Amino acid sequence: MTNKTLCIIKPDAVKKNLAGQIITKITEAGFKIKAMKMVRLSNESAGGFYEVHKNRPFYEELVKFMTSGPCIPIALEKENAVADYRALIGATDPAEAAEGTVRKLFAENKSENAVHGSDSDENAAIEIAHFFSRKELLENYAD
Ligand code: CMP
């Protein structure tokens, strides 16, 4: 599944009513929305999604934050999607993010950092499948 990436508008940004502004930045950058939903993650879902960070000291805090309110997973498509989307959102820590990036504009700190982005094509496919069924992705497909 190349040319796809997963965005999550995280609970901090949803709570602050920033979803519209963030989606506008994403679509203005040339990304196409393939599928989108608003969900309140369970501990199991958030814990599974961030399984790779299970042994990191911030894991529990991360799962608690990601289950603290609704979030908006979005499957995105664009040529070079993973790298281009990561450039658009900026560094994990908003203090280190470049001017004009989503995290520089909208994120609080390293933990509450407004958005998630996949870090590879392989993980994009896994992460998109975490939130969207094949049927949802196909039904929403429009050229
Ligand atoms: P995300 O892109 O969703 O992928 C993993 C998340 O872990 C990351 O964004 C941050 O929200 C969070 N994270 C990474 N490093 C730290 C840290 N040092 N302290 C707290 N949270 C972190």
Side-chain angles (χ1 to χ4, degrees):
M1 200 193 286
T2 55
N3 298 334
K4 293 200 175 55
T5 194
L6 182 82
C7 156
I8 305 175
I9 302 179
K10 295 188 180 183
D12 57 323
V14 174
K15 228 169 265 172
K16 287 191 266 180
N17 227 7
L18 294 168
Q21 289 182 70
I22 292 173
I23 291 168
T24 296
K25 278 198 78 71
I26 291 169
T27 52
E28 281 181 354
F31 291 87
K32 192 167 160 195
I33 295 174
K34 304 298 292 180
M36 177 165 80
K37 59 177 74 166
M38 185 152 85
V39 285
R40 177 86 184 255
L41 298 183
S42 64
N43 278 321
E44 291 69 29
S45 182
F49 185 82
Y50 284 116
E51 181 85 38
V52 57
H53 296 305
K54 207 174 175 66
N55 296 321
R56 307 284 285 276
F58 57 82
Y59 178 74
E60 269 185 39
E61 182 194 338
L62 178 60
V63 171
K64 193 171 165 202
F65 164 58
M66 289 302 290
T67 57
S68 67
C71 68
I72 304 176
I74 310 174
L76 296 170
E77 186 177 79
K78 184 185 183 294
E79 204 175 301
N80 202 31
V82 167
D84 286 2
Y85 176 77
R86 287 174 77 78
L88 179 73
I89 64 176
T92 303
D93 185 346
E96 292 164 17
E99 288 301 326
T101 58
V102 172
R103 283 170 170 159
K104 185 71 174 186
L105 289 167
F106 302 122
E108 271 318 306
N109 53 53
K110 210 183 216 180
S111 310
E112 307 208 351
N113 64 353
V115 286
H116 167 80
S118 310
D119 64 4
S120 65
D121 285 346
E122 190 194 358
N123 284 337
I126 294 167
E127 291 178 1
I128 288 171
H130 186 90
F131 290 107
F132 300 102
S133 68
R134 189 173 153 71
K135 186 166 176 279
E136 282 172 314
L137 291 164
L138 290 174
E139 272 178 358
N140 295 343
Y141 191 90
D143 276 321

